[in-house]
């Protein structure tokens, strides 16, 4: 018996020894760079001594780098390293958005975060609350390049101000910029419309007529009942989403999950307004008639895109950039002709679009990291290369279709109206033949557009670019467009803790109503439930936040 | 056996059994058929048990996918290492635990420790923090060590060891053999079926796990195969969050049902190959380990 | 003296396993205290503010809690019941087939699904159960309308239970088949001489002799009442079927890893562990009392 206790004691003592020497291991890395390294002057100045930082960020799905290169070791990274003498080491990366969220949450929970991360709003706030972030104010004002500053300035401070508000006057993150134009357009198969003698729809009812014909009158002429009406996505609505029904909601002045001012001037959530009920009733009616893909609840991007490519679908809601997906259908069938349409319109002939929150992800630097300036400079160099301002960078992976996300910092920055403004510039250049106004990256796109105009559909890459950057993007400066600014964006305390319950309730209810599993009137009990489980509290918080 | 056969009843019995057997392989055949079909045929749901528009494009594409084979390699490494550790620990723990309390007084404390750890877990987040503290993130050991003590297998083995006649051990002991010798020269050779069984369980467990790979591996290069499949095939919803035009453009080209089927099928192969060899053991292994006289 | 040397070596043999258990099981258990904290990463487990039962109170007031527990228990119980009946019946049928080669082949095939992971099977199931999938082709052949199995609260639980039974039934027949082979053949012979037909022998001899095994397995499965199958559900569900398919484990996963509500997730997990522990203790007792069987 005594021996037994002895053995146990031995176990425990070894354990404690192990546990004691374990912990500190990792946290001391990466601060090895000497704090006295003279900061090289200017936004592009090279450091004398190598500076390094570790990074955690979302990876690249289906990455297509040339053999041997990876996200963590590629020519973009080497380019940044050569230019600035900055070494970037990946702490973690994963392509799937949910899996990445997990990685960041676990890193935060264990208190062991990399020097640099790109995080979402909730995580940014959590890091902020835990005091884990370094202030970037002086690094930004001293070192950010004119190009980067220009992008932020195009939003008139809306982007950076939100961050400053969260971090109490400091700048604890560099946010990305959600440029204008992610809102969905209605894309239709023009060749189907023509074949069935239909006119381009304007109102919801006209759209229904078109969908009915697409569904039942064999628009592809193969004598099989294999065509679908409108495609859908289980998210139901989503800023910038593919196949979601936002335009139908918006035509009814319903703005799900956006914060809008009601007639009395107070801020309310769009999801629980009576307009929502009307729009849902309409969608239910369409679903019942088979005008919406019966199976949309189980679809994801892949499956929907497959239906488009297969020529089974002739009507989808997708942003201007959806053109590249649509060009897949043209690849399989040269007769396919897609057009973007601003429909359905509301009673005043307006196409309503809700503006996105200015930012969705945030570049943050770990508290105590000695060289926030190096992070800003890496961003400078990256964008100089990305926008083809530096001819040397332009040759990296040229014509290989490598994703820009392989640059080290996947923070998306651009001028707010870049998409529609560029389309206008292309238009002008086509008419005058004068390309002197174009930036280097615009020149590249313009060449592609011109190629397609010269010989349409001969190159699918050129066709896609023409359909997206030119035809689709032009729609975004239409005078029919009615831009609606949300009264509040971002999150509040209760939203962070309980918002997911509300989102879940919302999504479940809307899906059930549309698919007819619940009656339209169940919307009323949904509103009550929504208010009860936190919606009311959040609404109050939002109203105080704005005041 | 008694013989009063009734042809009608026999036909029904054999028919039902054949049907059930078919139901068990149908999904696998369907996947195999999909992997050899054209993408269009797959999307439009024309593929059942025979390939439509037979082609090898998917397999050609898989061959070019380094990530798939790297993940395959990680899984093989994990299985070899994990099953070996499981085996050693199981044998070493089961032998003393198969002794009664009279012979080995501390036995029950250990047994309850095993049961306790099987039931209570600190939860994912504390476990992650612990692994992080040990510096094991991104290391194959993070997949192998936390699961090094397979309690279920040990219980099976303990029960089997209990059934080994005491006389064998006593005889060896009289010949001067110590406990280690007895374990290696008496117990292990007489336990081949049950050892094969627990090895099969370990191999399958390690081959099939995906969740720990997702949590502990910080770089996709270190994913085991199942994690890779889960992320790339089952959970391929990345598109919903992408708003960046050039990204969307690129991702359009990636999706592919037949390619996925090929990957799924290839990842089944080791199990399909390994399983028949051990199958003849595991029935007797399980039975002997769980049903006691 | 000799005995002492043996015991010393027994401890030595257990040593590596015990060390691993302590390192990877016992030490993380201190993390359970997160359930009683407002966990702040920079402060760590030791210094985060203590909030007592707040996380549990929040959990019980959460509208989802009720649903999660109901879903978990309903799905688990359905799986347990089906998982007991199907192998039982299958073993009986298989026992009636006398051709050894045929029997062996069928056995080999039906054990197989047990060894495939849910990741793989989900990939296959999602394909098969889609509207264009093979199952709906059969439904339509019989004149039915296609069914969205994975997106219907009406069907989702049935899909979970059926696919689980499909995966495990073959494997679970092993014990029954073993019990069947241990039945003394002279019993059958005697019954045959007394003129008992096939059906009678089945109901009067085979089934009664299998009942104790079935009872034992039932008791042992009690411990699984809160295990509805995390990997299966995680890979098959979507938001529309949260109502019928969201279980404790999947909720803990989302709350903890995707929404970073560490306190809530740990509290839920702890509650589950405690209940499971009680259930296992009960089943251990029952098995011992009624079947005279010691699990360990």
């Amino acid at each position: 018996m005594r021996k037994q206790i002895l053995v146990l004691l031995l176990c425990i003592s070894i354990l404690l020894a192990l546990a004691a020497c374990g912990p500190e291991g990792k946290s001391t890395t990466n601060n090895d760079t000497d704090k006295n390294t003279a900061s090289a002057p200017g936004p592009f100045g090279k450091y004398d001594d190598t500076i390094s930082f570790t990074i955690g960020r979302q990876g690249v799905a289906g990455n297509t780098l040339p053999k041997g290169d990876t996200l963590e070791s590629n020519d973009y990274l080497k380019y940044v390293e050569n230019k600035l003498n900055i070494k970037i080491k990946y702490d973690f990366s994963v392509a799937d958005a949910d899996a990445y969220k997990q990685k960041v949450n676990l890193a935060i929970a264990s208190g062991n975060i990399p020097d640099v991360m790109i995080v979402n709003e909730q995580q940014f706030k959590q890091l902020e609350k835990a005091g884990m972030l370094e202030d970037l104010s002086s690094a930004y004002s001293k070192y950010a390049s004119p190009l980067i500053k220009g992008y932020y300035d195009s939003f008139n401070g809306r982007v950076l101000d939100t961050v400053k508000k969260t971090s109490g006057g400091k700048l604890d993150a560099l946010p990305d910029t959600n440029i204008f134009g992610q809102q969905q357009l209605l894309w239709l198969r023009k060749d189907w419309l023509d074949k069935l003698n239909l006119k381009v729809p304007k109102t919801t009812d006209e759209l229904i007529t078109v969908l009915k014909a697409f569904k039942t009158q064999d628009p592809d002429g193969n004598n099989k009942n294999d065509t679908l009406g409108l495609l859908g996505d289980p998210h139901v609505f989503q800023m910038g989403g593919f196949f979601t029904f936002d335009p139908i909601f918006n035509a009814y002045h319903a703005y799900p999950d956006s914060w809008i001012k009601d007639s009395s001037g107070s801020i309310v959530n769009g999801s629980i307004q009576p307009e929502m009920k009307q729009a849902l009733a309409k969608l239910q009616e369409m679903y019942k008639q088979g005008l919406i893909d019966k199976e949309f609840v189980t679809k994801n991007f892949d499956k929907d895109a497959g239906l488009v490519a297969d020529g089974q679908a002739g009507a989808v809601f997708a942003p201007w950039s959806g053109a590249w997906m649509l060009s897949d259908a043209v690849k399989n069938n040269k007769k396919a002709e897609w057009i973007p349409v601003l429909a359905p319109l509301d009673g005043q002939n307006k196409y309503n679009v809700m503006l996105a929150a200015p930012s969705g992800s945030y570049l943050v630097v770990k508290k105590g990291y000695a060289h926030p300036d190096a992070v800003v400079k890496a961003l400078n160099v990256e964008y100089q290369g990305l926008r083809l301002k530096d001819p040397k960078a332009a040759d990296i992976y040229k014509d290989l279709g490598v994703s820009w996300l392989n640059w080290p910092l996947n923070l998306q920055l651009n001028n707010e109206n870049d998409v529609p403004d560029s389309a206008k510039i292309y238009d002008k250049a086509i008419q005058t033949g004068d390309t002197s106004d174009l930036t280097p990256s615009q020149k590249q796109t313009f060449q592609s557009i011109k190629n397609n105009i010269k010989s349409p559909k001969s190159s699918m890459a050129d066709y896609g670019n023409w359909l997206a950057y030119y035809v689709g993007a032009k729609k975004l400066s239409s005078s029919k467009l009615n831009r609606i600014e949300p009264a509040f964006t971002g999150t509040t305390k209760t939203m962070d803790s309980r918002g997911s319950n509300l989102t879940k309730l919302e999504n479940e209810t809307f899906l059930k109503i549309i698919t007819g599993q619940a009656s339209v009137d169940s919307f009323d009990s949904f509103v009550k439930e929504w208010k009860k489980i936190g919606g009311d509290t959040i609404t109050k918080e939002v109203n105080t936040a704005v005041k | 056996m008694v013989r009063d056969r009734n042809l009608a009843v026999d036909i029904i019995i054999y028919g039902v059994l054949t049907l059930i057997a078919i139901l068990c392989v149908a999904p696998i055949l369907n996947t195999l058929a999909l992997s050899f079909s054209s993408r269009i045929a797959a999307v439009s749901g024309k593929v059942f048990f025979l390939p439509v528009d037979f082609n090898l494009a998917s397999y050609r594409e898989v061959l070019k996918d380094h990530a798939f084979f790297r993940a395959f390699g990680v899984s093989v490494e994990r299985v070899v290492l994990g099953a070996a550790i499981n085996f050693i620990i199981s044998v070493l723990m089961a032998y003393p635990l198969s002794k009664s309390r009279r012979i080995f007084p501390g036995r029950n404390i250990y047994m309850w420790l095993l049961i306790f750890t099987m039931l209570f877990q600190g939860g994912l987040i504390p476990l992650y923090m612990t692994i992080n503290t040990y510096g094991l993130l991104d290391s194959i050991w993070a997949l192998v060590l936390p699961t090094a003590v397979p309690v279920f297998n040990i219980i099976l083995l303990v029960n089997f060891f209990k059934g080994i006649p005491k006389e064998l051990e006593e005889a060896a002991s009289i010949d001067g053999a110590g406990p280690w010798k007895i374990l290696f020269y008496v117990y292990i050779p007489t336990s081949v079926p049950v050892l094969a069984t627990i090895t099969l369980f370990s191999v399958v467990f390690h081959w099939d796990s995906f969740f720990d790979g997702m949590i502990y591996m910080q770089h996709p290069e270190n994913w085991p195969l199942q994690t890779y499949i889960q992320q790339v095939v089952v959970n391929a919803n990345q598109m919903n969050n992408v708003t960046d035009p050039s990204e969307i453009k690129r991702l359009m080209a990636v999706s592919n049902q037949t390619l996925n089927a090929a990957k799924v099928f290839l990842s089944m192969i080791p199990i399909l190959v390994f399983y028949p060899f051990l199958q003849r053991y595991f029935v007797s292994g399980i039975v002997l380990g769980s049903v006691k006289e | 003296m000799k005995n002492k040397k043996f015991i010393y070596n027994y401890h030595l043999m257990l040593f590596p396993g015990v060390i691993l258990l302590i390192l990877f099981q016992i030490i993380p258990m201190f993390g359970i205290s997160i359930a009683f904290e407002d966990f702040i990463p920079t402060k760590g487990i030791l210094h985060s503010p203590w909030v007592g039962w707040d996380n549990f109170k929040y959990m019980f007031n959460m509208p989802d809690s009720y649903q999660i527990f109901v879903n978990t228990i309903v799905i688990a119980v359905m799986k347990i019941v089906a998982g007991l009946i199907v192998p039982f019946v299958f073993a009986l049928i298989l026992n009636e087939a006398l051709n050894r080669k045929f029997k062996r082949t069928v056995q080999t095939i039906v054990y197989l699904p047990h060894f495939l992971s849910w990741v793989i099977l989900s990939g296959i199931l999602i394909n098969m159960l889609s509207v264009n999938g093979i199952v709906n082709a059969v439904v339509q052949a019989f004149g039915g309308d296609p069914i969205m199995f994975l997106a219907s609260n009406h069907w989702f639980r049935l899909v979970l239970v059926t696919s689980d039974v499909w995966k495990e039934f073959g494997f679970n027949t092993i014990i029954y088949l073993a019990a069947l082979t241990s039945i003394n053949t002279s019993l059958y012979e005697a019954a045959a001489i007394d003129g008992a037909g096939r059906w009678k022998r089945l109901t009067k001899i085979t089934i009664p002799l299998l009942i104790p095994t079935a009872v034992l397995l039932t008791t042992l499965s009690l411990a699984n009442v809160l295990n509805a199958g995390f990997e299966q559900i995680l890979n098959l569900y979507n938001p529309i079927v949260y109502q019928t398919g969201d279980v404790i484990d999947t909720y803990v996963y989302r709350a903890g890893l995707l929404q970073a509500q560490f306190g809530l997730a740990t509290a839920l997990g702890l509650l589950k562990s405690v209940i499971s522990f009680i259930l296992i203790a009960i089943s251990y007792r029952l098995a011992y009392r009624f079947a005279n069987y010691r699990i360990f």
Side-chain angles (χ1 to χ4, degrees):
Chain A
M1 192 64 191
R2 191 174 292 160
K3 201 147 226 174
Q4 191 183 321
I5 291 168
L6 213 99
V7 172
L8 259 172
L9 279 176
L10 186 69
C11 292
I12 290 164
S13 60
I14 288 179
L15 243 153
L16 288 177
L18 277 171
C21 67
E24 304 311 321
K26 230 181 170 183
S27 52
T28 48
T29 51
N30 303 321
N31 286 337
D32 47 358
T33 33
D34 192 67
K35 280 226 175 195
N36 301 325
T37 310
S39 277
F44 303 106
K46 189 169 179 173
Y47 291 96
D48 296 334
D49 300 327
T50 307
I51 300 218
S52 62
F53 60 81
T54 56
I55 181 170
R57 50 158 285 197
Q58 195 174 344
V60 185
N63 210 350
T64 50
L65 283 165
K67 198 175 170 170
D69 284 2
T70 65
L71 176 64
E72 305 181 9
S73 151
N74 62 48
D75 291 353
Y76 291 137
L77 277 164
K78 279 175 209 142
Y79 172 76
V80 174
E81 191 182 331
N82 289 339
K83 272 248 142 156
L84 295 171
N85 199 8
I86 294 176
K87 255 196 166 43
I88 299 172
K89 200 178 137 276
Y90 275 77
D91 237 14
F92 57 82
S93 72
V94 51
D96 178 62
D98 269 359
Y100 178 65
K101 221 193 273 177
Q102 254 172 48
K103 285 269 170 263
V104 174
N105 284 342
L106 284 169
I108 296 174
S110 64
N112 179 24
I113 59 171
D115 299 326
V116 177
M117 279 197 295
I118 314 262
V119 300
N120 66 22
E121 185 179 348
Q122 192 192 2
Q123 289 160 340
F124 166 47
K125 283 189 174 165
Q126 204 181 12
L127 287 161
E128 178 63 41
K129 180 182 152 199
M132 292 164 93
L133 299 181
E134 183 72 27
D135 183 10
L136 303 176
S137 312
S138 82
Y140 174 76
S141 59
K142 270 196 222 149
Y143 294 102
S145 68
L147 183 68
I148 303 281
K149 283 185 175 160
Y151 290 147
Y152 284 124
D153 291 344
S154 77
F155 285 80
N156 295 322
R158 280 203 338 272
V159 172
L160 291 183
D161 286 351
T162 343
V163 173
K164 283 184 186 152
K165 207 166 157 192
T166 312
S167 37
K170 296 182 294 173
L171 187 67
D172 281 355
L174 287 181
D176 69 345
T177 58
N178 275 335
I179 55 172
F180 171 74
Q182 299 161 39
Q183 291 79 2
Q184 294 85 354
L185 311 167
L186 173 65
W187 292 88
L188 292 171
R189 281 282 290 266
K190 182 78 171 42
D191 50 324
W192 288 12
L193 289 175
D194 292 346
K195 179 162 186 286
L196 304 174
N197 282 323
L198 296 160
K199 61 181 173 78
V200 175
K202 286 205 181 78
T203 64
T204 313
D205 289 331
E206 286 171 19
L207 172 62
I208 287 178
T209 317
V210 168
L211 293 176
K212 244 182 223 159
F214 278 8
K215 171 90 181 132
T216 56
Q217 295 178 19
D218 190 27
D220 57 352
N222 64 354
N223 291 321
K224 275 189 225 150
N225 181 19
D226 59 353
T227 50
L228 296 163
L230 186 64
L231 295 187
D233 182 276
H235 284 83
V236 183
F237 60 86
Q238 191 179 39
M239 174 59 64
F242 278 66
F243 310 107
T244 52
F245 305 124
D246 308 48
I248 294 191
F249 289 114
N250 298 352
Y252 282 88
H253 299 272
Y255 304 100
D257 225 15
S258 295
W259 295 96
I260 46 178
K261 277 215 164 84
D262 71 357
S263 48
S264 71
S266 56
I267 298 174
V268 293
N269 191 288
S271 290
I272 56 165
Q273 301 311 307
E275 289 86 0
M276 270 310 280
K277 193 174 168 182
Q278 294 171 16
L280 285 168
K282 193 49 132 189
L283 284 166
Q284 189 191 59
E285 182 192 319
M286 291 167 70
Y287 185 85
K288 257 189 209 148
Q289 296 175 11
L291 304 181
I292 295 174
D293 176 16
K294 275 278 176 214
E295 243 201 320
F296 81 91
V297 173
T298 59
K299 291 286 159 69
N300 56 23
F301 177 84
D302 279 358
K303 290 184 186 153
D304 276 331
L307 291 172
V308 169
D310 204 23
Q312 293 187 44
V316 298
F317 287 124
W320 66 278
S321 54
W324 285 298
M325 166 197 67
L326 302 171
S327 66
D328 249 14
V330 181
K331 187 160 65 184
N332 294 333
N333 173 8
K334 284 273 152 67
K335 282 187 203 126
E337 192 71 60
W338 286 95
I339 51 163
V341 181
L342 293 182
L345 304 175
D346 69 0
Q348 286 82 46
N349 269 328
K350 286 283 177 197
Y351 190 75
N352 301 316
V353 289
M354 177 58 66
L355 297 185
S359 333
S361 53
Y362 301 81
L363 173 91
V364 293
V365 176
K366 178 173 147 189
K367 180 134 215 144
Y369 176 66
H371 290 286
D373 45 299
V375 182
V376 173
K377 282 180 165 190
L379 194 66
N380 291 341
V381 167
E382 172 177 325
Y383 265 89
Q384 222 63 22
L386 193 53
R387 300 288 183 232
L388 308 178
K389 303 251 176 205
D390 180 349
K392 270 188 207 135
D395 289 336
I396 305 177
Y397 299 132
K398 205 171 179 195
D399 299 326
L400 289 177
V402 167
S403 166
W404 75 271
L405 292 175
N406 285 297
W407 285 93
L409 303 166
N410 57 334
L411 192 74
Q412 205 177 337
L413 298 173
N414 213 333
N415 292 317
E416 181 171 18
N417 284 315
D418 184 66
V419 176
D421 286 356
S422 304
K424 276 187 219 158
I425 292 175
Y426 300 144
D427 214 9
K428 200 175 139 211
I430 288 168
Q431 278 154 24
T432 61
D434 173 17
T435 58
S436 55
D437 286 353
L438 275 62
T439 66
S441 56
Q442 282 173 336
K443 268 188 190 136
Q444 215 177 38
T445 312
F446 181 67
Q447 191 54 46
S448 187
I449 293 173
K450 257 191 3 197
N451 289 348
N452 189 66
I453 293 175
K454 213 183 279 163
S455 58
K457 295 183 188 170
S458 56
S459 143
M460 274 307 123
D462 290 338
Y463 173 75
N465 286 339
W466 169 80
L467 194 61
Y469 285 120
Y470 185 57
V471 182
K474 246 194 337 193
K475 284 280 168 194
L476 293 170
S477 40
S478 159
S479 59
K480 278 189 200 155
L481 221 59
N482 180 26
R483 295 189 186 199
I484 293 154
E485 204 161 324
F488 173 83
T489 58
T491 61
T492 68
K493 189 165 167 272
T494 314
M495 228 189 275
D496 284 338
S497 64
R498 302 198 195 169
S500 55
N501 295 338
L502 292 176
T503 316
K504 186 186 137 188
L505 177 72
E506 233 170 63
N507 186 257
E508 246 177 68
T509 313
F510 295 167
L511 281 175
K512 278 191 198 156
I513 293 180
I514 295 172
T515 56
Q517 291 180 44
S519 70
V520 175
D521 286 332
S522 66
F523 181 80
D524 302 330
S525 48
F526 152 74
V527 173
K528 272 186 213 130
E529 179 76 8
W530 186 92
K531 289 180 169 179
K532 202 179 83 189
I533 63 170
D536 269 346
T537 323
I538 291 175
T539 309
K540 257 180 236 149
E541 285 171 0
V542 166
N543 277 290
T544 9
V546 170
K547 267 167 212 161
Chain B
M1 201 66 201
V2 191
R3 304 204 156 262
D4 54 327
R5 310 311 299 170
N6 174 329
L7 192 64
V9 174
D10 274 346
I11 288 176
I12 293 174
I13 285 171
Y14 282 89
V16 167
L17 288 173
T18 311
L19 192 72
I20 291 174
I22 290 173
L23 278 178
C24 284
V25 283
I28 296 164
L29 288 180
N30 184 234
T31 308
L32 190 61
L34 273 173
S35 70
F36 286 112
S37 299
S38 73
R39 190 175 163 186
I40 301 276
V43 171
S44 41
K46 290 177 202 139
V47 183
F48 295 109
F49 299 124
L50 290 173
V52 177
D53 310 334
F54 182 90
N55 69 82
L56 293 169
S58 301
Y59 287 93
R60 237 175 267 137
E61 220 167 308
V62 176
L63 285 180
K64 281 187 278 177
D65 186 349
H66 323 294
F68 179 84
F69 287 100
R70 201 167 35 211
F72 205 100
V74 173
S75 272
V76 170
E77 190 186 345
R78 171 181 184 167
V79 163
V80 171
L81 212 58
I85 292 178
N86 282 167
F87 184 87
I88 295 168
I89 297 280
S90 304
V91 169
L92 287 184
M93 290 189 94
Y95 173 60
L97 289 175
S98 70
K99 301 291 158 225
S100 74
R101 226 167 93 197
R102 264 182 311 112
I103 299 173
F104 178 33
R107 187 245 177 206
N108 279 12
I109 297 177
Y110 288 110
M111 202 67 212
W112 278 108
L113 176 74
L114 275 185
I115 303 299
F116 180 71
T117 55
M118 184 169 72
L119 297 181
F120 275 91
Q121 244 95 52
L124 204 63
I125 289 141
L127 187 57
Y128 174 88
M129 293 183 202
T130 316
I131 303 265
N132 178 27
T133 309
Y134 298 155
L136 293 181
L137 285 184
D138 247 345
S139 143
I140 191 98
W141 298 106
L143 306 179
V144 166
L145 291 181
T147 54
V149 186
V151 179
F152 179 79
N153 290 356
I154 292 175
I155 292 174
L156 211 64
L157 202 54
V158 165
N159 286 339
F160 187 87
F161 281 171
K162 276 184 184 168
I164 292 178
K166 302 234 167 6
E167 295 76 21
L168 283 178
E169 179 163 5
E170 276 159 21
S173 163
I174 289 164
D175 289 346
W180 294 89
K181 261 204 165 131
I182 292 174
L183 174 59
F184 287 113
Y185 292 106
V186 178
Y187 275 72
I188 291 182
T190 39
S191 316
V192 172
V194 78
L195 291 174
T197 306
I198 62 165
T199 306
L200 174 68
F201 288 169
S202 287
V203 167
V204 169
F205 169 81
H206 282 291
W207 185 261
D208 283 354
S209 302
F210 82 97
F211 198 70
D212 44 3
M214 192 164 96
I215 301 294
Y216 301 133
M217 295 296 127
Q218 304 284 65
H219 302 265
E221 292 88 83
N222 297 325
W223 278 347
L225 188 59
Q226 301 288 329
T227 310
Y228 170 87
I229 299 269
Q230 206 270 344
Q231 289 289 311
V232 175
V233 178
V234 180
N235 197 24
N237 282 331
Q238 300 96 333
M239 282 302 299
N240 292 324
N241 301 302
V242 179
T243 52
D244 172 18
S246 56
E247 262 312 280
I248 289 162
K249 190 161 121 188
R250 204 179 49 78
L251 283 172
M252 306 293 175
V254 186
S255 126
N256 198 330
Q257 198 184 2
T258 54
L259 179 63
N260 289 347
K263 287 177 182 168
V264 166
F265 185 76
L266 287 176
S267 67
M268 274 192 269
I269 286 181
I271 298 284
L272 295 178
V273 169
F274 198 60
Y275 155 82
F277 289 107
L278 289 174
Q279 195 245 336
R280 64 197 181 100
Y281 288 118
F282 78 72
V283 174
S284 55
I286 293 170
V287 171
L288 291 169
S290 57
V291 180
K292 281 179 299 184
E293 305 306 318
Chain C
M1 179 58 211
K2 192 168 191 181
N3 196 19
K4 268 213 171 133
K5 192 188 118 205
F6 267 66
I7 290 175
Y8 171 75
N9 277 300
Y10 289 162
H11 286 297
L12 203 62
M13 286 173 177
L14 287 161
F15 185 72
V18 170
I19 285 290
L20 285 167
L21 278 182
I22 293 175
L23 281 178
F24 293 99
Q25 305 278 348
I26 308 286
I27 288 181
M29 265 181 223
F30 292 105
I32 289 176
S33 50
I34 292 177
F36 304 94
E37 289 173 353
D38 174 16
F39 180 65
I40 296 170
T42 34
K43 299 192 173 155
I45 294 174
L46 293 179
H47 301 105
S48 285
W50 192 260
V51 295
W53 296 98
D54 276 11
N55 286 319
F56 289 87
K57 277 184 205 146
Y58 175 60
M59 176 171 88
F60 285 114
N61 288 327
M62 205 169 57
D64 290 331
S65 300
Y66 174 74
Q67 198 169 46
I68 299 162
F69 273 90
V70 170
N71 286 343
T72 308
I73 292 170
V74 169
I75 293 170
V77 169
M78 280 163 77
K79 280 184 178 174
I80 290 172
V81 172
L84 284 164
I85 296 172
V86 176
F88 186 85
V89 174
F90 179 74
L92 291 178
I93 300 178
L94 192 64
N95 194 44
E96 291 295 316
L98 292 184
N99 184 325
R100 283 184 67 93
K101 222 173 184 178
F102 178 80
K103 212 164 146 178
R104 178 74 57 77
T105 315
V106 170
Q107 270 174 288
T108 308
I109 291 174
V110 297
Y111 297 157
L112 180 64
H114 170 81
F115 295 99
L116 300 175
S117 70
W118 274 118
V119 171
I120 300 279
L121 290 179
S122 314
I124 298 177
L125 276 172
I126 291 168
N127 257 331
M128 287 181 42
L129 293 174
S130 77
V131 164
N132 312 325
I134 201 167
V135 176
N136 270 311
V138 175
V139 170
Q140 278 167 303
F142 285 97
D145 285 328
I147 297 160
M148 289 183 285
F149 291 99
L150 294 176
S152 149
N153 282 307
H154 192 68
W155 288 98
F156 189 66
R157 283 178 184 166
L158 195 72
V159 169
L160 292 180
V161 175
T162 314
S163 58
D164 185 66
V165 167
W166 174 81
K167 184 178 192 286
E168 304 296 346
F169 85 93
F171 194 74
N172 291 335
T173 52
I174 292 177
I175 305 259
Y176 289 117
L177 289 173
L180 281 170
T181 51
S182 68
I183 294 175
N184 198 332
T185 44
S186 61
L187 275 176
Y188 290 109
E189 278 151 18
I193 291 162
D194 290 348
R198 207 167 172 175
W199 179 251
K200 217 161 195 174
R201 291 203 299 274
L202 179 72
T203 52
K204 297 284 177 200
I205 302 173
T206 317
I207 293 181
L209 284 172
L210 278 187
I211 292 285
T213 313
V215 170
L216 179 65
L217 289 177
T218 314
T219 317
L220 295 183
S221 59
L222 188 61
N224 280 326
V225 166
L226 289 187
N227 284 326
F230 173 68
E231 295 203 349
Q232 179 194 21
I233 298 177
L234 184 73
N235 286 312
L236 284 176
Y237 77 163
N238 55 59
I240 202 173
V241 289
Y242 281 168
Q243 188 193 336
T244 51
D246 197 15
V247 296
I248 300 176
D249 291 335
T250 48
Y251 193 91
V252 167
Y253 162 74
R254 290 203 313 277
L257 286 187
L258 297 184
Q259 295 149 19
Q261 304 184 50
F262 302 120
L264 175 67
T266 316
L268 252 169
L270 177 61
L271 183 70
K272 194 196 144 187
S273 292
V274 171
I275 298 175
S276 297
F277 183 73
I278 295 170
L279 289 172
I280 289 190
I282 292 173
S283 75
Y284 180 84
R285 293 238 141 179
L286 288 178
Y288 186 54
R289 179 174 300 177
F290 294 109
N292 199 20
Y293 182 89
R294 267 183 189 277
I295 309 174
F296 27 79

